[in-house]
Amino acid sequence: MLSIKNLQANVDGKEILKGINLEVKAGEIHAIMGPNGSGKSTLANVLTGNKSYEVTGGEVFFESKNLLEMDPETRAREGMFLAFQYPIEIPGVSNATFLKTALNEVRKYHGEEELTPKEFLTMLKEKAKVLGMDETMISRYVNVGFSGGEKKRNEILQMLMLKPKFVLLDETDSGLDIDALKIVSSGVNIYKNPNTAFLVVTHYQRLLNYIVPDFVHVLYKGRIIKSGTKELALELEERGYDWLIAEQAEVV
Amino acid sequence: MNEIKENPAEELSEDMKVLDDVTSSEYKWGFVTDIESETAAKGLNEDVVRMISKKKKEPEWMTEWRLKAFRYWLKMEEPKWPNVEYPKIDFQNISYYSAPKQKPQLNSLDEVDPELLKTFEKLGIPLEEQKILSGVAVDAVFDSVSVATTFRETLKEKGVIFCSVSEAVKDYPELIKKYLGSVVPYTDNFYAALNAAVFSDGSFVFIPKGVRCPMELSTYFRINSQETGQFERTLIVAEEGAYVSYLEGCTAPIRDTNQLHAAVVELVVLDNAEIKYSTVQNWYPGDKEGKGGIYNFVTKRGACRGKNSKISWTQVETGSAITWKYPSCILQGENSVGEFYSVAVTNNMQQADTGTKMIHIGKNTRSTIVSKGISAGKSNNSYRGLVRIGKNAEGARNYTQCDSMLMSDRCGAHTFPYIEVENNTAKVEHEATTSKVGEDQIFYLNQRGITSEDAVNMIVNGFCKEVFNNLPMEFAVEAQKLLAISLEGSVG
């Protein structure tokens, strides 16, 4: 589904990604772990087309289409979804207006009819309920005055509404208490299906107890230095990253 | 309260239909037909003032009033304090009288500037209305008077007067003598004096005691048959317990050859009465290099004379090369309330210096000011507001919120708040913010499938929400679209 080949990228002229290679198939869950500053969030932003990040080399194919040639909204409409580490506030714009606009843009792109207001509302209320969200959030302004947990839940709500094919979770566990973490993870697990792939960017193993990955990759200084299964995450939890970095140094 | 407001765009077609219905009528009670097609020679002197008065068949007292204003104006200096720049105006190089129909009659929409048509389309203006606005000859079928007649009958039953000022001078001289110039005297300022001397026409509204005007009154009714005057004058009086909502302006782009517009609006509100005055201003802003465009120098003021009276100004200012206006409230009556909700958008080379004055005189008077300034391109947008609490204004309160949004690195946003408090029981609050449309906000919306252009519109409309909520429904919908058009191409 997603094929990343030798991807390199700069932020403010500084080289952050130094050649990423990764293959993700439909139905798989991949976790990207790594110490601070290793390039995890950069990868998520580059894949979704954030213009503050400059791609300097390599290629990415999303369902055999050249992803890097698409603008951010086209990537989104094609089914690429990023749950933001820090969801953005949009004052004066209600969650409902925002979600309805987004959903109809995606539907239009795929030649589907726009939802009627009633259909939309029914769907929105149903999904909000799954995440244990208060109905008042529907008319509240996008992320304005939301607690950290509410913001993350709002991201998952958007995922459930937009039904993307490829989901990037960028440090979705950061700032969440254990209850919120469980709810957010259950949202992901409900959505998990054979046609959808996940790339879970996380600092801690904790999240992976709830969203169980098929593969774990360690990112360090802009490169994937180790790949394995979920056991690798447990090992990292126990031993930290230093041994891996040392191992890496020996190889070089 | 889990109810969701639907996307207003969906209601648009219905609203436009209503609008179409009411605007498909010609304003039949202006002075338009009496006037020959001619334009006075350039320059201003007493003879010109007399000529204007004579053309309008005004009584002697009106002519005298104009002349007094003119003589006063001669002694005045053009104000220099606004934060705007423009070449000096040669007041002797302007023609002060011209017949209303200046637009060339075109035979079909094919002859209209395609840029203008594109804008009409985006605003969703019905085809027939497009023709009127751009000066295309209209079919006889369309030119029905039935709506206008029904409309006038309904008002007459309630005792509401809604007519041109010229007509009012003839038919209701006592009301005009009593109220015209009573809120904005000709001595008030340079442009108010000029307007009093040469005003072309405008609207007069009178709502008698205890009457709630059964419909929103709109200048839409007047714009069809007549180009809005260069020196417009509006007077609205609400007697005890009366209520009226008045809509001024038009969201359609108006290409006017008159460069200087100096209008005066006066509102008088007696005990327990209320006037809600909404404006959408979309005069020609000039081109991207700042060539052409209207200078819109307006004096708007309302007097809350009675106790528990209320005036609410709501304005959406997107047009004009220079906008310079401060719709104000004189809160004289006890417990009277003044409100000012404003969105001012400037793009390219536009300049706006706008705000309000809330003059608290009576006890327990309250005022609210919400100003949203949006600057794009190389434009300059200033909020200038005065809150004055007089020494007898026990318990007066004001809340001011003043937000600016910047859309480029080359535009400017300025805030000039003036607060004068002479009574220490008063409470005055002022909040101000300046923000930039964030790339992170745009990317967030992009990432959900929304284009950058739509994202900017969404962000800007959200920013203006509190003001739009105060506009009548059909205006709010159009104001949103208008904003989108005004800011087109300003980001990205």
Side-chain angles (χ1 to χ4, degrees):
Chain A
M1 175 181 272
L2 188 78
S3 170
I4 304 174
K5 289 183 184 125
N6 194 29
L7 181 63
Q8 297 155 48
N10 286 2
V11 182
D12 295 329
K14 196 179 168 221
E15 192 181 23
I16 304 290
L17 299 184
K18 298 173 183 170
I20 303 277
N21 292 289
L22 188 64
E23 293 286 333
V24 180
K25 294 194 181 71
E28 292 177 349
I29 298 182
H30 289 240
I32 301 267
M33 300 183 72
N36 281 334
S38 55
K40 301 191 298 288
S41 279
T42 300
L43 178 61
N45 277 289
V46 166
L47 290 177
T48 46
N50 190 334
K51 291 189 181 77
S52 312
Y53 298 77
E54 185 199 353
V55 176
T56 50
E59 47 191 15
V60 181
F61 286 91
F62 181 45
E63 297 200 304
S64 356
K65 288 179 191 160
N66 189 340
L67 188 76
L68 300 179
E69 280 180 357
M70 298 178 201
D71 52 31
E73 59 269 29
T74 308
R75 297 182 200 199
R77 292 168 186 176
E78 284 282 343
M80 174 113 356
F81 181 92
L82 172 63
F84 283 65
Q85 182 177 4
Y86 303 108
I88 308 294
E89 299 182 1
I90 319 278
V93 177
S94 74
N95 245 334
T97 305
F98 161 58
L99 268 170
K100 196 165 144 222
T101 309
L103 184 58
N104 283 333
E105 286 294 347
V106 172
R107 291 181 70 94
K108 215 161 59 190
Y109 184 77
H110 294 285
E112 293 164 326
E113 292 274 310
E114 292 194 359
L115 288 183
T116 66
K118 202 179 163 199
E119 288 168 336
F120 168 77
L121 252 187
T122 310
M123 183 174 163
L124 181 57
K125 283 184 178 166
E126 181 197 308
K127 307 288 183 197
K129 205 170 163 191
V130 168
L131 295 170
M133 293 175 87
D134 197 293
E135 276 190 14
T136 53
M137 60 68 58
I138 292 175
S139 48
R140 281 169 69 186
Y141 296 153
V142 181
N143 295 323
V144 177
F146 282 35
S147 70
E150 282 177 323
K151 282 184 182 172
K152 295 296 170 77
R153 260 190 253 189
N154 204 19
E155 293 293 290
I156 302 303
L157 176 70
Q158 292 168 36
M159 177 194 79
L160 293 179
M161 292 295 289
L162 298 176
K163 300 195 182 78
K165 284 185 218 151
F166 190 89
V167 180
L168 284 146
L169 302 175
D170 189 4
E171 306 270 5
T172 295
D173 51 332
S174 69
L176 289 190
D177 61 28
I178 195 76
D179 291 330
L181 183 65
K182 278 182 184 167
I183 292 169
V184 165
S185 310
S186 77
V188 171
N189 288 323
I190 287 165
Y191 184 58
K192 199 167 76 179
N193 66 71
N195 303 316
T196 305
F198 289 84
L199 192 62
V200 184
V201 172
T202 181
H203 200 74
Y204 301 105
Q205 193 270 338
R206 187 175 75 142
L207 177 67
L208 305 180
N209 289 332
Y210 299 96
I211 303 172
V212 183
D214 300 302
F215 302 97
V216 174
H217 311 278
V218 178
L219 192 61
Y220 179 67
K221 288 191 173 169
R223 284 192 185 92
I224 290 173
I225 56 168
K226 181 125 184 138
S227 295
T229 54
K230 65 181 181 202
E231 284 73 25
L232 176 60
L234 291 169
E235 197 176 357
L236 287 169
E237 175 82 351
E238 222 168 90
R239 299 174 61 190
Y241 292 104
D242 290 349
W243 63 278
L244 256 183
I245 294 165
E247 210 172 72
Q248 174 71 8
E250 274 168 38
V251 175
V252 176
Chain B
M1 269 303 289
N2 298 335
E3 215 181 19
I4 292 197
K5 287 203 181 100
E6 299 311 337
N7 185 356
E10 287 173 6
E11 277 134 338
L12 183 72
S13 55
E14 191 54 32
D15 282 316
M16 287 317 288
K17 207 180 140 293
V18 176
L19 265 182
D20 192 21
D21 289 347
V22 290
T23 51
S24 310
S25 57
E26 212 173 66
Y27 181 71
K28 284 290 178 188
W29 51 98
F31 64 98
V32 177
T33 47
D34 305 338
I35 294 169
E36 299 147 40
S37 182
E38 61 179 330
T39 300
K42 285 175 179 175
L44 186 55
N45 52 44
E46 292 205 3
D47 288 342
V48 172
V49 174
R50 280 203 183 85
M51 186 273 283
I52 293 170
S53 190
K54 196 177 165 208
K55 282 277 173 202
K56 299 163 82 61
K57 301 195 174 76
E58 287 176 352
E60 187 56 29
W61 57 268
M62 196 68 231
T63 316
E64 276 310 309
W65 191 71
R66 285 180 181 272
L67 284 170
K68 269 192 243 168
F70 173 71
R71 288 168 198 147
Y72 196 85
W73 177 76
L74 283 178
K75 290 182 277 181
M76 295 176 94
E77 290 268 336
E78 214 182 323
K80 289 276 177 272
W81 49 265
N83 188 28
V84 296
E85 278 174 37
Y86 55 92
K88 196 166 165 51
I89 300 171
D90 180 357
F91 291 93
Q92 293 303 334
N93 194 30
I94 294 173
S95 166
Y96 289 85
Y97 179 83
S98 61
K101 297 254 182 201
Q102 295 171 323
K103 294 173 188 165
Q105 280 283 320
L106 308 175
N107 293 318
S108 81
L109 279 175
D110 299 338
E111 295 172 33
V112 178
D113 178 1
E115 279 295 309
L116 197 61
L117 290 181
K118 248 194 259 167
T119 312
F120 282 148
E121 207 142 284
K122 283 179 192 157
L123 280 169
I125 290 174
L127 207 63
E128 290 304 323
E129 203 181 327
Q130 289 188 20
K131 288 184 185 169
I132 297 171
L133 291 165
S134 48
V136 174
V138 173
D139 306 345
V141 185
F142 174 65
D143 203 9
S144 145
V145 295
S146 59
V147 180
T149 315
T150 322
F151 174 75
R152 210 182 181 191
E153 284 302 310
T154 316
L155 290 181
K156 208 172 160 189
E157 271 170 35
K158 295 271 185 181
V160 173
I161 302 169
F162 179 32
C163 62
S164 70
V165 171
S166 305
E167 195 186 24
V169 167
K170 280 170 235 144
D171 295 352
Y172 311 100
E174 294 316 311
L175 288 174
I176 294 295
K177 276 183 196 167
K178 186 171 177 187
Y179 291 112
L180 195 76
S182 75
V183 185
V184 181
Y186 59 76
T187 52
D188 191 83
N189 69 67
F190 185 82
Y191 291 103
L194 180 64
N195 176 287
V198 301
F199 75 89
S200 25
D201 210 345
S203 306
F204 174 64
V205 178
F206 179 82
I207 316 290
K209 202 168 169 174
V211 171
R212 200 180 160 85
C213 187
M215 58 192 73
E216 271 163 348
L217 300 183
S218 166
T219 47
Y220 259 116
F221 296 105
R222 303 190 50 245
I223 214 148
N224 290 355
S225 56
Q226 177 191 357
E227 195 169 89
T228 312
Q230 187 177 6
F231 299 99
E232 218 185 354
R233 185 140 196 137
T234 301
L235 172 62
I236 304 178
V237 179
E239 281 197 329
E240 291 85 350
Y243 169 84
V244 64
S245 168
Y246 186 84
L247 317 183
E248 171 198 54
C250 182
T251 51
I254 295 179
R255 301 278 168 119
D256 191 327
T257 47
N258 300 319
Q259 199 175 27
L260 174 66
H261 278 243
V264 170
V265 176
E266 296 177 282
L267 311 182
V268 178
V269 194
L270 304 184
D271 287 0
N272 304 305
E274 179 179 349
I275 296 177
K276 188 173 161 58
Y277 194 106
S278 312
T279 306
V280 171
Q281 185 264 112
N282 188 27
W283 298 103
Y284 181 53
D287 66 11
K288 285 196 171 106
E289 278 72 48
K291 241 175 92 185
I294 305 291
Y295 295 173
N296 191 29
F297 300 161
V298 184
T299 307
K300 285 185 168 174
R301 194 175 303 153
C304 283
R305 297 218 172 126
K307 54 178 193 255
N308 307 317
S309 57
K310 181 175 174 184
I311 288 175
S312 183
W313 297 101
T314 306
Q315 62 173 22
V316 177
E317 303 282 326
T318 64
S320 296
I322 302 175
T323 296
W324 178 20
K325 60 180 266 195
Y326 314 91
S328 306
C329 298
I330 298 168
L331 303 169
Q332 200 178 328
E334 265 179 42
N335 302 316
S336 59
V337 175
E339 294 175 340
F340 174 73
Y341 300 99
S342 169
V343 168
V345 183
T346 51
N347 197 358
N348 299 318
M349 302 294 281
Q350 280 178 280
Q351 308 175 69
D353 191 312
T354 182
T356 184
K357 284 192 270 186
M358 293 291 175
I359 313 293
H360 293 254
I361 296 170
K363 281 180 189 152
N364 297 315
T365 45
R366 281 166 292 147
S367 62
T368 304
I369 300 170
V370 177
S371 163
K372 306 277 181 178
I374 300 161
S375 346
K378 295 179 194 162
S379 69
N380 249 316
N381 202 323
S382 304
Y383 166 81
R384 188 185 303 275
L386 167 69
V387 175
R388 179 185 292 154
I389 313 278
K391 58 179 181 295
N392 298 322
E394 293 282 324
R397 293 175 67 171
N398 163 266
Y399 171 74
T400 300
Q401 184 192 332
C402 195
D403 300 322
S404 309
M405 185 178 262
L406 302 171
M407 313 264 305
S408 82
D409 299 327
R410 289 164 302 164
C411 58
H414 316 269
T415 308
F416 304 98
Y418 304 84
I419 299 171
E420 299 169 14
V421 180
E422 291 175 24
N423 185 306
N424 57 18
T425 64
K427 259 193 200 162
V428 177
E429 284 175 76
H430 182 96
E431 284 177 26
T433 66
T434 301
S435 57
K436 222 183 148 195
V437 170
E439 276 173 21
D440 52 351
Q441 286 179 320
I442 295 172
F443 177 64
Y444 188 65
L445 296 175
N446 282 161
Q447 216 302 304
R448 299 302 184 248
I450 300 166
T451 62
S452 295
E453 198 178 328
D454 289 345
V456 169
N457 288 338
M458 199 180 250
I459 294 163
V460 170
N461 275 306
F463 176 73
C464 299
K465 186 92 163 193
E466 292 153 279
V467 174
F468 287 169
N469 282 347
N470 285 291
L471 283 173
M473 187 60 198
E474 68 266 33
F475 253 33
V477 173
E478 287 184 60
Q480 286 196 10
K481 293 188 154 202
L482 189 58
L483 224 59
I485 291 168
S486 305
L487 292 171
E488 208 161 71
S490 58
V491 163

